[in-house]
């Protein structure tokens, strides 16, 4: 199917033993809600023709985007000349239009998009490459929590993960497997056909990928269109191919040549490698601010989602990541939230608070920007707390002096406005100002904290409140170093 943002549903349908006088009835119904009613449409068919194309149009459909993942249950019913039901086919679809424009960018529903992406392996310590719907749901929710809007793989993922991307809202690059060595044409054509026929109608898929890092069989490129009437763009990860440059692990200054001199659209399908936790949160903001300055930037995909460590039942249950080869995730093997989780979540938050410093003249004015692709900030809000902090190491010693919230106006995409928090003088009695950004559905997007007092002023107050200070002792043996006081 090709369900466009204008509400036009086109479909290429294969019939077997189609009899004379049959016709088709097409209908759609919103998934998960009862928003509106769409009248079924009857479609005449050509007698006995095995492959036919149809087109119907509905007014008032809600489009699919990562921020508004509206889905519809499409039902195609085949009736004989007497009006009797012969066969019914159902599938979830989303109405959206994907366009790749050379030397410009990737557009969805007429809006130029930037993908905040992650690479994900199908992997879990307890099952290795075997996963289930619960794992797919957990992972898709965690990806959304980090304010990402796109995901890529080295092979077609489980169908249930694609279903999560459809329903929760994630752009997908679906990839034919192949890493540094491609399949031969005979094998590749079979695998390509299986992937396309299985995945072609997922609205989340916006690009096809033919192999990875040299695993490209050029003979397969033309055949993606054999099964995809949407004609989605085909890429070769790590290559500058088909007018989309996917160069892996670009340096900070890579964009000087690519952007300034007007080369192709730029979208690293891998960057910010996380091996040893040195690549995700650290440096992301610098790279992102640099790359997003260019209109040729389409987004990028970090490597990768979680540590790939399998539970070794033959070794007492240890988590084996093959030394350092699988320790490169933002999350731990059981999806533990490490430091980079919070950093990525803040940097890629769609509600952006510009950095500020609380000086004696601070009156509560801050600047807020909208980094959504399709939505305004209407319905979003900021929640604040002023905290008195005894010890930063002990949350039990935190006291809330005042709190409140501010509803945000309809700030449009890429727009920045001045917002007043309305805190008042109690701010200067506290030590920390905490601000939560909250979306229109009540989900916390990120939490930021700002010091009210300078470090010397806070430290002087904290030290004066201690009853006694004793020198620490350092105890050391062959395995441990202990600090004791």
């Amino acid at each position: 199917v090709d369900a466009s943002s204008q509400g036009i549903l086109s479909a290429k349908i294969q019939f077997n033993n189609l009899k004379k006088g049959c016709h088709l009835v097409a209908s759609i119904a919103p998934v998960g809600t009862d928003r509106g009613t769409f009248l079924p449409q009857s479609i005449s068919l050509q007698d006995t023709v095995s492959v036919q194309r149809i087109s119907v149009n509905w007014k008032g459909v809600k489009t699919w985007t990562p921020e508004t993942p509206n889905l519809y249950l499409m039902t195609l019913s085949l009736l004989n000349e007497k009006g009797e039901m012969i066969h019914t086919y159902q599938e979830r679809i989303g109405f959206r239009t994907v366009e790749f424009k050379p030397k410009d960018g990737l557009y969805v529903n007429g809006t130029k998009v930037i993908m905040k992406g992650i690479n994900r392996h199908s992997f879990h310590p307890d099952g290795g490459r075997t996963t289930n719907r619960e794992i797919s749901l957990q992972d898709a929710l965690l990806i959304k929590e980090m304010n990402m809007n796109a995901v890529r793989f080295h092979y077609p993922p489980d169908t249930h993960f694609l279903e999560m991307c459809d329903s929760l809202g994630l752009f997908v690059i679906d990839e034919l497997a192949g890493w540094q060595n491609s399949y031969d044409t005979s094998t590749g054509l079979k695998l390509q056909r299986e992937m396309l026929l299985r995945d072609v109608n997922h609205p989340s898929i916006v690009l096809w990928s033919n192999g990875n890092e040299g695993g490209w069989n050029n003979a397969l490129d033309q055949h993606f269109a054999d099964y995809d009437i949407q004609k989605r763009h085909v890429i070769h990860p790590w290559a500058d191919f088909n007018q989309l440059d996917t160069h892996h692990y670009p340096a900070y200054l890579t964009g000087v040549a690519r952007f300034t001199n007007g080369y192709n659209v730029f979208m690293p399908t891998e960057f910010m490698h996380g091996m040893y936790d040195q690549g995700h949160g650290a440096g992301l903001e610098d790279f992102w601010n640099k790359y997003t300055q260019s209109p040729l930037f389409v987004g990028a995909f970090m490597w990768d989602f979680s540590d790939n460590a399998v539970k070794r039942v033959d070794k007492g249950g240890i988590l084996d990541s093959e030394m350092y080869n699988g320790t490169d995730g933002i999350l731990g093997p059981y999806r533990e939230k490490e430091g980079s989780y919070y950093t990525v979540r803040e940097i890629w938050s769609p509600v952006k608070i510009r950095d500020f410093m609380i000086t004696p003249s601070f009156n509560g004015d801050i600047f807020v920007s909208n980094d959504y692709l399709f939505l305004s900030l209407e319905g979003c809000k900021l929640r604040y707390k002023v905290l008195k902090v005894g010890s930063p190491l002990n949350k039990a010693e935190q006291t809330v002096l005042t709190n409140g919230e501010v509803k945000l106006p309809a700030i449009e995409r890429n727009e920045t406005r001045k917002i007043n928090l309305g805190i008042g003088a109690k701010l200067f009695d506290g030590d920390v100002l905490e601000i939560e950004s909250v979306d229109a559905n009540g989900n916390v997007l990120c939490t930021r904290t700002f010091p009210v007092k300078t470090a010397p002023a806070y430290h002087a107050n904290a030290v004066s409140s201690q009853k006694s200070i004793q020198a620490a002792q350092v105890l050391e043996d062959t395995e441990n170093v202990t600090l004791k006081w």
Side-chain angles (χ1 to χ4, degrees):
V1 302
D2 181 6
S4 77
S5 57
Q6 290 78 33
I8 300 172
L9 174 65
S10 303
K12 180 181 178 182
I13 304 175
Q14 170 93 35
F15 295 97
N16 293 321
N17 301 317
L18 184 64
K19 305 299 182 183
K20 185 177 179 180
C22 289
H23 67 282
L24 203 64
V25 174
S27 64
I28 57 170
V31 173
T33 71
D34 55 359
R35 298 182 306 249
T37 301
F38 298 89
L39 294 176
Q41 299 198 32
S42 181
I43 304 155
S44 298
L45 297 174
Q46 302 175 59
D47 292 342
T48 70
V49 177
S50 59
V51 178
Q52 301 191 35
R53 292 190 178 234
I54 66 165
S55 180
V56 292
N57 190 0
W58 284 282
K59 301 295 184 182
V61 299
K62 302 289 186 181
T63 55
W64 186 96
T65 76
E67 296 156 12
T68 55
N70 298 297
L71 293 173
Y72 291 83
L73 181 64
M74 174 191 70
T75 302
L76 299 177
S77 299
L78 182 64
L79 282 67
N80 63 19
E81 58 184 355
K82 298 178 181 179
E84 299 167 335
M85 185 84 69
I86 298 174
H87 183 70
T88 298
Y89 176 86
Q90 289 187 320
E91 188 159 21
R92 293 195 316 173
I93 63 171
F95 286 86
R96 55 100 185 96
T97 299
V98 179
E99 301 171 275
F100 175 77
K101 299 182 180 181
K103 296 191 182 300
D104 187 346
L106 184 69
Y107 286 75
V108 175
N109 304 339
T111 296
K112 193 172 187 175
V113 302
I114 292 180
M115 291 190 278
K116 302 171 180 177
I118 189 68
N119 285 277
R120 173 189 179 265
H121 270 305
S122 297
F123 199 91
H124 193 272
D126 296 335
R129 299 290 179 201
T130 303
T131 66
N132 56 35
R133 293 187 68 86
E134 289 74 18
I135 293 171
S136 287
L137 176 59
Q138 178 190 33
D139 287 3
L141 287 171
L142 284 166
I143 291 170
K144 293 289 289 188
E145 280 182 24
M146 287 186 278
N147 294 314
M148 300 169 175
N149 63 11
V151 61
R152 171 187 173 242
F153 333 92
H154 274 342
Y155 36 77
D158 297 296
T159 298
H160 43 72
F161 187 78
L162 290 177
E163 291 170 353
M164 302 304 170
C165 295
D166 293 339
S167 59
L168 294 175
L170 287 168
F171 290 134
V172 169
I173 298 178
D174 203 5
E175 187 164 299
L176 181 68
W179 183 69
Q180 299 188 4
N181 293 286
S182 61
Y183 290 109
D184 62 76
T185 301
S186 176
T187 303
L189 285 171
K190 295 174 184 177
L191 294 173
Q192 180 186 40
R193 181 178 184 275
E194 289 183 7
M195 181 182 84
L196 269 290
L197 290 180
R198 190 197 74 163
D199 296 348
V200 69
N201 290 330
H202 287 281
S204 54
I205 296 173
V206 293
L207 293 169
W208 300 115
S209 170
N210 180 10
N212 173 63
E213 295 185 357
W216 321 303
N217 183 336
N218 294 338
L220 304 180
D221 291 323
Q222 62 181 316
H223 294 292
F224 282 88
D226 293 349
Y227 309 101
D228 179 19
I229 65 172
Q230 297 178 33
K231 303 294 188 288
R232 278 163 283 196
H233 202 68
V234 178
I235 65 171
H236 286 182
W238 206 10
D240 191 344
F241 167 79
N242 206 8
Q243 300 184 299
L244 206 161
D245 182 353
T246 61
H247 181 63
H248 281 187
Y249 304 107
Y252 174 74
L253 292 177
T254 295
V256 172
R258 286 181 161 84
F259 297 155
T260 306
N261 295 322
Y263 287 128
N264 287 327
V265 171
F266 184 45
M267 185 194 72
T269 37
E270 292 179 27
F271 88 129
M272 305 301 292
H273 202 295
M275 190 174 286
Y276 309 122
D277 263 354
Q278 65 182 352
H280 291 121
L284 174 60
E285 188 167 30
D286 293 334
F287 275 78
W288 200 252
N289 289 343
K290 177 72 175 176
Y291 290 168
T292 52
Q293 291 174 9
S294 171
L296 292 178
F297 185 60
V298 175
F301 293 75
M302 290 187 287
W303 187 273
D304 69 331
F305 174 69
S306 66
D307 291 351
N308 287 187
V310 67
K311 184 177 180 180
R312 293 289 297 271
V313 295
D314 60 332
K315 293 188 176 183
I318 67 166
L319 293 176
D320 183 1
S321 59
E322 197 188 14
M323 298 179 67
Y324 57 82
N325 287 324
T327 57
D328 51 10
I330 293 179
L331 304 175
Y334 282 108
R335 285 41 174 178
E336 298 90 342
K337 296 177 181 178
E338 300 172 1
S340 287
Y341 165 92
Y342 299 96
T343 306
V344 173
R345 192 181 192 209
E346 177 184 317
I347 294 170
W348 280 351
S349 172
V351 178
K352 303 287 290 184
I353 299 174
R354 187 186 297 176
D355 287 337
F356 64 92
M357 183 177 290
I358 299 175
T359 62
S361 62
F362 180 73
N363 66 355
D365 284 343
I366 63 173
F367 289 89
V368 178
S369 303
N370 179 4
D371 203 32
Y372 277 116
L373 293 174
F374 299 92
L375 298 175
S376 79
L377 296 192
E378 186 175 14
C380 298
K381 56 190 174 185
L382 303 178
R383 295 175 183 153
Y384 67 82
K385 294 178 184 176
V386 177
L387 303 173
K388 188 72 175 175
V389 180
S391 167
L393 301 179
N394 187 356
K395 283 198 171 186
E397 295 184 25
Q398 294 183 5
T399 303
V400 178
L401 300 184
T402 186
N403 62 80
E405 68 177 39
V406 178
K407 293 182 179 180
L408 295 177
I411 302 172
E412 298 300 325
R413 179 190 181 189
N414 294 329
E415 183 184 3
T416 301
R417 290 198 203 177
K418 182 168 68 176
I419 303 295
N420 188 273
L421 296 174
I423 300 177
K426 276 190 174 293
L427 170 66
F428 296 100
D429 295 331
D431 298 311
V432 173
L433 171 62
E434 178 184 286
I435 304 178
E436 285 184 337
S437 303
V438 183
D439 70 13
N441 296 315
N443 301 309
V444 176
L445 298 170
C446 76
T447 303
R448 297 195 62 188
T449 55
F450 302 87
V452 176
K453 296 182 173 65
T454 60
Y458 170 76
H459 184 259
N461 180 65
V463 169
S464 65
S465 67
Q466 301 295 322
K467 293 182 179 179
S468 64
I469 299 176
Q470 300 175 349
Q473 293 179 302
V474 179
L475 307 176
E476 189 171 352
D477 57 32
T478 56
E479 294 185 354
N480 302 292
V481 176
T482 304
L483 188 65
K484 181 178 180 181
W485 65 92

